[in-house]
Amino acid sequence: MRTGAQVLAAALGLDTAGLIHADWGDALSLAGGAALLAVLTAVATSAGPEGPGLTETVRDRR
């Protein structure tokens, strides 16, 4: 979600500054695509069933 919010803020900020033209629909599409890619990256780079990633479980090591 953080990546999507960052892209949304950047797209709307750049539109406000006059550097690009991105209406709300374009900005939300960019943010959604970025969020999806961030989730896919987290899943693809997970190191296995244990750890702090999206698909892993954290095991108490005491």
Side-chain angles (χ1 to χ4, degrees):
M1 294 303 276
R2 178 175 50 195
T3 300
Q6 289 169 335
V7 170
L8 180 61
L12 293 176
L14 290 171
D15 180 54
T16 301
L19 298 173
I20 64 169
H21 175 67
D23 60 17
W24 274 98
D26 293 338
L28 289 173
S29 293
L30 284 169
L36 176 63
L37 289 174
V39 169
L40 292 175
T41 300
V43 170
T45 59
S46 65
E50 295 179 14
L54 181 67
T55 59
E56 297 92 358
T57 57
V58 177
R59 190 173 72 183
D60 188 8
R61 297 191 185 265
R62 288 187 249 175

